[in-house]
Amino acid sequence: MANRKNEGQRLGITDPISLTGPTYFDLCKTKQLQNYLENAQLYETPDEALAREEVLARLDQIVKVWVKSISRAKGLNEQLVREANAKIFTFGSYRLGVHGPGADIDTLCVGPRYATREEDFFGELGRMLAAMPEVTELHPVPDAHVPVMKFKFSGVSIDLLYAKLSLWIIPEELDLSHNSILENADEQTVRSLNGCRVTDQILRLVPNIQNFRTTLRCMRLWAKCRGVYSNVTGFLGGINWALLVARICQLYPNALPSMLVSRFFRVYTQWRWPNPVMLCNIEEGSLGLQIWDPRRYHRDRYHLMPIITPAYPSMNSSYNVSSSTLQILSEEFQRGNDICMAMESNKEDLEWDTLFERFSFFKAYNNYLQIDINAENGDDLRQWKGWVESRIRQLTLKIEKHTLNMLQCHPHPGDFSDKSKPFHCSYFMGLKRKQQGPGLPNQDGTFDIRATIAEFKGIVLNNYTCWKSGMEIRPAELMAPPILNKCFASVPREKPTIRFGSSNWRTQKGLKKSQVWQRKWNLWGLNLMQKQRGDQPKCSLVNEEDILVGGNVADPTVPNS
């Protein structure tokens, strides 16, 4: 299974671009790349690997005890109780073999038809886990698009999904790759099974698994260094990068990782989006499940960077990509291609660390949007963060829409915290004008996005059904925030392109932060009224002098883990 390049079977929807084998240069560069990845501490130790295997074995034992317990509680006959079984599968980076030290393990519990998701999985199994001393930070999310239980087991982070099959008995040798496994399954089960089915199919469709893994480790590290590793904020996540790398492996089946990295950038620099990236032909299936098909489904036509999953039902794994994030990804692909071409031509004495140079987010823009959130305790903040982070992509889309796609939004994929402020964190978004055009509503060439920001805040607050007292969100438009000025005082800044208005007031000493922010929003409302009457707004939502009310960042160059 590890190497299929000599089996004569074509993998992919087209013939390979090249069957050329490695040169001496490729061998040397691949060795250097492997050393670089090892020095970057991307590989776990044997003891850490053993600890993960022990946790997975223990978790498998727990779900087997759980399913027997509920089979007895439901009054099933003795034979069904005796044969009752549940099974743990892994997927994601752990199953692909590219996980690093401390990474979480994506797991799936497969149970029989009588074990329900709400009552039995989140209920009974959740109570069993909560009672165990090895389990900490248990956080069930039953209302998520893919319902999940998050927790730590003996210090190992686990994301546990659940799939209820139509079977009375779950065989120990169950194969999830057969489409029959999806018969009579609900939507949550189909989505939960999708992770395992896609991961296993990727491993079947690459010609050399070891070369695939090394190349994928490299591209995951590169994407994180360049700030484009985040599905939730509109870039690409783990499964997206795995599919992109797998397609390059199909196109260059005999290449070593150094050449695969170079060809990755070459191919995707020239890729004509929205042409989809696919590892195999899309299967229609006989179960009637919806697949990605822009000819049939109107919504699929608006996907900008479709990367299609290879298992039935095929879906676009990158539907979160927006116009702005696609532009940023394209620029990063071009930069990677330029560096790889320079290394191959030996025109410059470049090493791999040039490719992995970290993107200086806070030096790249003249204007930033800061979103501060806080809660009353750690558990509330963790839930509130998850909700707000999932909505940031909507803010990107709204800004693009309201400026007629002329303002580029670059959301930072991480969050930042100030240790002096408990239960608080900040998100940042870089803003810049793409080019002159009809999207500029103001005569002076600036954008006024205050109404867009206020609309976003209202949607975040009003649509969150689990809101608790103390959960707050405070968006603030920044022109070179003071904390960033201190860190990057030597960075030249051009004329701002974002409208902030003129300031006729300053933060008053003695006011509570909540009072100051209430006054800000009241003044913002007054601005809108004045604007509707045709008057020039006389007050500002935010200015440089009082921006600290929104929450400074201790060190904006180091995001939270």
Side-chain angles (χ1 to χ4, degrees):
M1 185 176 181
N3 191 339
R4 305 183 187 86
K5 67 182 181 180
N6 295 321
E7 294 182 4
Q9 178 185 2
R10 190 188 80 179
L11 298 173
I13 60 175
T14 64
D15 289 327
I17 293 177
S18 173
L19 295 174
T20 304
T23 65
Y24 178 74
F25 176 83
D26 295 327
L27 291 169
C28 294
K29 278 297 181 181
T30 295
K31 181 61 177 177
Q32 293 174 8
L33 178 60
Q34 290 173 335
N35 291 338
Y36 186 92
L37 297 179
E38 291 173 0
N39 292 335
Q41 298 180 339
L42 297 187
Y43 298 88
E44 64 182 359
T45 65
D47 289 342
E48 291 171 331
L50 180 61
R52 288 175 182 271
E53 292 174 4
E54 292 175 348
V55 165
L56 289 173
R58 179 78 175 105
L59 188 58
D60 192 62
Q61 293 173 354
I62 292 170
V63 298
K64 293 182 188 311
V65 172
W66 160 73
V67 77
K68 286 186 180 295
S69 172
I70 62 174
S71 65
R72 290 193 186 93
K74 293 177 184 290
L76 301 183
N77 63 54
E78 280 302 317
Q79 181 178 354
L80 285 177
V81 171
R82 187 169 56 254
E83 297 179 351
N85 190 34
K87 186 171 174 60
I88 291 293
F89 293 86
T90 62
F91 62 100
S93 63
Y94 184 83
R95 176 70 181 96
L96 289 172
V98 295
H99 61 287
D104 59 359
I105 305 179
D106 295 314
T107 56
L108 171 70
C109 173
V110 175
R113 61 189 305 167
Y114 54 82
T116 65
R117 177 175 290 101
E118 293 77 14
E119 180 182 349
D120 297 323
F121 178 73
F122 284 105
E124 181 61 26
L125 181 58
R127 287 187 289 271
M128 286 178 61
L129 292 172
M132 295 179 177
E134 312 101 301
V135 176
T136 58
E137 300 181 23
L138 179 63
H139 177 47
V141 192
D143 298 327
H145 184 66
V146 182
V148 59
M149 270 201 293
K150 297 174 176 285
F151 56 92
K152 287 187 176 181
F153 197 107
S154 298
V156 177
S157 296
I158 301 289
D159 285 356
L160 180 61
L161 312 184
Y162 180 66
K164 184 185 74 169
L165 304 187
S166 59
L167 303 175
W168 282 100
I169 299 173
I170 303 298
E172 193 64 23
E173 66 280 1
L174 180 67
D175 185 356
L176 299 181
S177 65
H178 298 302
N179 290 349
S180 59
I181 210 78
L182 303 174
E183 290 181 359
N184 301 318
D186 56 37
E187 290 185 8
Q188 291 94 337
T189 291
V190 173
R191 287 194 287 263
S192 298
L193 287 168
N194 191 53
C196 290
R197 287 166 54 83
V198 168
T199 302
D200 289 347
Q201 189 71 342
I202 290 174
L203 294 176
R204 293 187 187 100
L205 291 173
V206 293
N208 185 301
I209 291 179
Q210 188 55 50
N211 288 342
F212 164 75
R213 285 173 171 164
T214 302
T215 307
L216 181 54
R217 282 186 185 273
C218 173
M219 296 314 305
R220 284 163 56 95
L221 175 62
W222 173 84
K224 292 174 182 178
C225 290
R226 301 305 298 173
V228 291
Y229 189 98
S230 173
N231 183 279
V232 70
T233 55
F235 292 107
L236 302 179
I239 189 62
N240 309 127
W241 293 109
L243 291 169
L244 290 180
V245 170
R247 184 61 182 133
I248 300 302
C249 291
Q250 291 180 339
L251 294 174
Y252 299 91
N254 297 330
L256 291 180
S258 64
M259 183 178 177
L260 291 171
V261 170
S262 172
R263 296 307 179 265
F264 178 98
F265 292 117
R266 178 180 299 183
V267 169
Y268 293 121
T269 295
Q270 301 175 30
W271 197 272
R272 296 182 179 179
W273 307 105
N275 288 330
V277 173
M278 299 189 298
L279 301 186
C280 58
N281 291 316
I282 294 177
E283 181 182 353
E284 288 287 343
S286 59
L287 301 179
L289 299 176
Q290 181 173 327
I291 59 175
W292 184 83
D293 188 350
R295 299 166 301 179
R296 189 184 310 173
Y297 303 110
H298 193 259
R299 288 183 58 184
D300 293 347
R301 301 174 191 172
Y302 294 97
H303 294 169
L304 301 179
M305 192 181 186
I307 304 172
I308 310 305
T309 56
Y312 176 78
S314 295
M315 309 172 188
N316 176 22
S317 64
S318 53
Y319 61 87
N320 276 352
V321 173
S322 69
S323 174
S324 290
T325 52
L326 176 57
Q327 176 67 27
I328 294 165
L329 284 164
S330 298
E331 293 171 357
E332 289 299 328
F333 289 160
Q334 184 62 60
R335 172 188 175 274
N337 186 51
D338 293 342
I339 292 174
C340 288
M341 288 182 65
M343 283 198 296
E344 290 180 354
S345 63
N346 289 323
K347 291 181 179 179
E348 299 181 41
D349 187 18
L350 296 179
E351 300 294 338
W352 285 110
D353 55 0
T354 305
L355 180 67
F356 296 103
E357 181 182 349
R358 291 191 174 274
F359 178 71
S360 299
F361 180 81
F362 290 105
K363 291 184 180 181
Y365 297 94
N366 302 314
N367 301 283
Y368 294 87
L369 177 63
Q370 178 177 343
I371 301 171
D372 296 299
I373 67 171
N374 58 273
E376 288 192 348
N377 56 64
D379 289 338
D380 286 356
L381 180 63
R382 185 164 54 251
Q383 297 179 33
W384 186 226
K385 275 176 59 176
W387 170 254
V388 173
E389 187 177 41
S390 70
R391 301 293 95 188
I392 289 179
R393 172 179 169 268
Q394 298 299 322
L395 177 58
T396 300
L397 295 176
K398 287 183 179 298
I399 293 176
E400 289 178 349
K401 178 181 177 181
H402 293 173
T403 62
L404 301 184
N405 211 29
M406 297 304 298
L407 187 62
Q408 179 169 300
C409 309
H410 186 166
H412 193 287
D415 61 272
F416 300 83
S417 62
D418 184 345
K419 294 182 180 179
S420 66
K421 298 177 181 179
F423 316 127
H424 164 276
C425 73
S426 300
Y427 295 92
F428 285 89
M429 180 182 292
L431 303 169
K432 76 174 181 179
R433 180 194 305 149
K434 289 185 179 179
Q435 62 185 51
Q436 295 287 350
L440 300 177
N442 301 322
Q443 293 181 353
D444 60 355
T446 62
F447 296 92
D448 192 338
I449 60 173
R450 288 171 289 186
T452 307
I453 295 172
E455 179 185 351
F456 166 74
K457 179 184 178 184
I459 291 174
V460 169
L461 289 171
N462 296 332
N463 291 354
Y464 187 52
T465 57
C466 300
W467 185 88
K468 298 179 182 178
S469 176
M471 291 182 176
E472 298 178 353
I473 177 171
R474 299 186 298 274
E477 299 164 296
L478 311 185
M479 289 188 300
I483 186 67
L484 302 184
N485 281 338
K486 292 177 183 177
C487 294
F488 307 115
S490 62
V491 178
R493 296 189 177 274
E494 301 172 358
K495 179 181 177 180
T497 60
I498 317 301
R499 165 74 72 175
F500 298 100
S502 59
S503 175
N504 289 328
W505 64 283
R506 294 291 181 268
T507 304
Q508 299 179 15
K509 293 182 179 180
L511 285 179
K512 294 182 179 179
K513 293 183 179 181
S514 59
Q515 293 173 316
V516 174
W517 272 101
Q518 185 62 51
R519 183 176 180 185
K520 288 177 182 290
W521 287 107
N522 290 342
L523 288 172
W524 174 85
L526 178 61
N527 273 350
L528 278 188
M529 294 172 59
Q530 292 170 335
K531 186 174 182 180
Q532 291 170 355
R533 293 198 305 263
D535 299 337
Q536 178 68 24
K538 298 180 180 179
C539 51
S540 173
L541 171 65
V542 163
N543 54 69
E544 286 190 35
E545 286 76 11
D546 58 30
I547 197 61
L548 57 89
V549 177
N552 289 338
V553 182
D555 184 356
T557 63
V558 183
N560 293 337
S561 58

